[in-house]
């Protein structure tokens, strides 16, 4: 991913690396290129502008270190600013600070990868964190979605709440929390219904269930391939539910990376996980350092 951005920045910094001394005009020229590269990567314009302003401020104020060339120093400043833009450090871990079971509510548009991500996270918590996890689908409008979660649960060997036809999403959520308590589960993952676009009914339903279950984490799943739309989707969900983190899927097919770069800056919501493929274990925690390194190449 990020190939175009990485290549582009690579060329810019290649020019700078060759220089012994760096003049303001070189910095300005480099930053113009960085700005174009960010916009081409579908980063929101105000975010790109803000980013450039920050880098410029730091570059001009910085003392030139003896050990590096001025060009290397600008690269470092851009790198650090990228890390900040991507969310800094130490925010990717999930919180379990509640009386078990901790509810994790998954929200997002249909097709964003919500059900797959629910199972991926459940598997990860069970395997790596040794948590006992129960999953429940609240998608009463699409029985196929409920069955899909059940099948994923069988594959991942994660328990799913038995399906009872005719229950409302709210009833299922209550039953899941009850079963979680009685069964000694650490975590109950609630996979809510998605829609093709945001509608009032979806938002009201999700907000109601959120209030009723009081999840410790509300994770919004967005598709990286939808670029700035993913960021707008996040803003809309954030207005109605307390989103604690973002799961960005299909990072494996995202060559531009604009959604990842804008998400935190626009919505304030940290990306906690990235989906890197269709397989049940194709999930990574989001590491701003690693991502910035990858962008700069
Ligand atoms: P939902 O409607 O939001 O629940 O979406 P699904 O979980 O059913 O996912 C829709 C499709 O996207 C499925 O075919 C998934 O295998 C696929 N998918 C989900 N996450 C990823 C990912 O990170 N990378 C890729 N390549 N495919 C994914």
């Amino acid at each position: 991913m990020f190939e175009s951005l990485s290549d582009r920045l690579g060329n810019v910094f290649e020019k700078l690396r060759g220089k012994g001394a760096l003049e303001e005009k070189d910095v300005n020229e480099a930053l113009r290129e960085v700005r174009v590269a960010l916009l081409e990567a579908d980063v929101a314009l105000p975010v790109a502008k803000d980013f450039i302003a920050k880098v410029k401020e730091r570059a001009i104020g910085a003392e030139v270190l003896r050990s590096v060339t001025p060009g290397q120093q600008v690269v470092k400043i851009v790198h650090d600013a990228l890390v900040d833009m991507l969310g800094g450090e130490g925010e990717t871990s999930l919180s379990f600070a509640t009386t078990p079971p901790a509810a994790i509510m998954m929200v997002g548009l249909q097709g964003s990868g919500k059900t797959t991500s629910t199972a991926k996270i459940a598997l990860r918590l069970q395997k790596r964190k040794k948590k006992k996890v129960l999953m429940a689908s609240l998608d009463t409008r699409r029985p196929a979605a409920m069955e899909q979660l059940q099948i994923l649960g069988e594959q991942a060997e994660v328990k799913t709440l038995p399906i009872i036809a005719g229950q409302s999403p709210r009833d299922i959520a209550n039953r899941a929390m009850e079963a979680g308590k009685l069964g000694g589960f650490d975590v109950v993952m609630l996979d809510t219904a998605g829609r093709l676009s945001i509608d009032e009914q979806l938002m009201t339903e999700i907000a109601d269930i959120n209030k009723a279950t009081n999840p410790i984490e509300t994770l919004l799943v967005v598709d990286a391939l939808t670029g700035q739309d993913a960021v707008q989707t996040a803003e809309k969900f954030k207005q109605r539910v307390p989103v604690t983190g973002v799961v960005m899927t299909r990072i494996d097919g995202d060559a531009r990376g604009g959604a990842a770069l804008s998400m935190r800056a626009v919505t304030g919501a940290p990306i906690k996980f990235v989906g890197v493929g269709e397989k049940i274990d194709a999930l990574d925690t989001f590491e701003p350092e690693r991502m910035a390194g990858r962008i700069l190449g």
Side-chain angles (χ1 to χ4, degrees):
M1 70 177 289
F2 290 140
E3 255 157 31
S4 58
L5 184 55
S6 158
D7 286 352
R8 186 122 198 180
L9 293 179
N11 292 337
V12 175
F13 293 130
E14 211 40 59
K15 276 193 227 155
L16 288 183
R17 275 183 191 121
K19 299 220 173 218
L22 209 61
E23 292 165 25
E24 196 176 334
K25 129 174 126 37
D26 297 319
V27 175
N28 285 341
E29 191 190 316
L31 291 184
R32 248 197 315 277
E33 290 282 327
V34 172
R35 184 176 137 136
V36 173
L38 291 175
L39 294 179
E40 279 184 0
D42 202 25
V43 171
L45 179 63
V47 177
K49 276 189 175 162
D50 192 39
F51 179 80
I52 297 299
K54 277 199 192 114
V55 171
K56 209 166 178 172
E57 200 183 288
R58 290 188 200 179
I60 287 167
E63 262 182 58
V64 179
L65 302 170
R66 281 172 191 277
S67 54
V68 296
T69 67
Q72 285 169 329
Q73 198 158 342
V74 174
V75 174
K76 165 96 170 71
I77 291 169
V78 171
H79 170 272
D80 292 350
L82 277 175
V83 172
D84 285 353
M85 185 176 174
L86 289 163
E89 285 161 44
E91 284 195 0
T92 61
S93 57
L94 296 178
S95 172
F96 302 103
T98 184
T99 315
I104 298 180
M105 186 175 179
M106 306 292 289
V107 301
L109 297 179
Q110 191 178 316
S112 60
K114 190 162 39 58
T115 301
T116 313
S117 299
T118 303
K120 283 177 175 178
I121 293 171
L123 175 64
R124 189 184 181 94
L125 294 179
Q126 208 166 264
K127 244 181 156 171
R128 302 200 190 188
K129 306 276 179 197
K130 307 291 172 218
K131 302 278 183 195
K132 197 176 165 194
V133 186
L134 177 68
M135 304 191 290
S137 170
L138 311 184
D139 197 345
T140 51
R141 281 173 205 81
R142 291 193 312 137
M146 294 190 145
E147 280 156 27
Q148 187 195 349
L149 188 69
Q150 211 168 30
I151 292 165
L152 288 169
E154 280 160 23
Q155 276 173 16
E157 295 181 14
V158 176
K159 289 241 160 49
T160 48
L161 188 75
I163 297 171
I164 300 178
Q167 283 200 315
S168 72
R170 180 80 181 265
D171 288 343
I172 300 171
N174 290 341
R175 183 160 61 88
M177 293 313 292
E178 206 47 44
K181 232 178 264 167
L182 293 174
F185 287 88
D186 302 304
V187 178
V188 174
M189 300 203 57
L190 303 171
D191 182 19
T192 62
R195 301 282 193 286
L196 289 173
S197 62
I198 291 172
D199 65 46
E200 187 49 36
Q201 205 193 348
L202 166 73
M203 286 304 186
T204 306
E205 180 181 300
I206 287 172
D208 281 354
I209 296 168
N210 199 279
K211 279 203 192 91
T213 53
N214 192 23
I216 187 106
E217 295 276 355
T218 300
L219 301 179
L220 172 70
V221 182
V222 293
D223 178 351
L225 297 182
T226 61
Q228 289 196 46
D229 279 351
V231 181
Q232 275 163 21
T233 302
E235 280 205 289
K236 295 206 177 106
F237 271 91
K238 272 206 77 184
Q239 284 164 11
R240 299 297 295 272
V241 283
V243 173
T244 57
V246 171
V247 181
M248 193 168 276
T249 62
R250 299 206 183 86
I251 277 277
D252 47 308
D254 177 27
R256 302 198 298 169
L261 284 169
S262 304
M263 184 59 75
R264 175 58 194 271
V266 175
T267 68
I271 302 174
K272 295 207 171 181
F273 293 103
V274 286
V276 294
E278 295 200 33
K279 293 215 181 92
I280 193 88
D281 60 353
L283 181 83
D284 285 338
T285 51
F286 183 69
E287 313 279 353
E289 274 282 342
R290 200 169 67 199
M291 189 66 77
R294 218 155 132 180
I295 292 168
L296 289 175

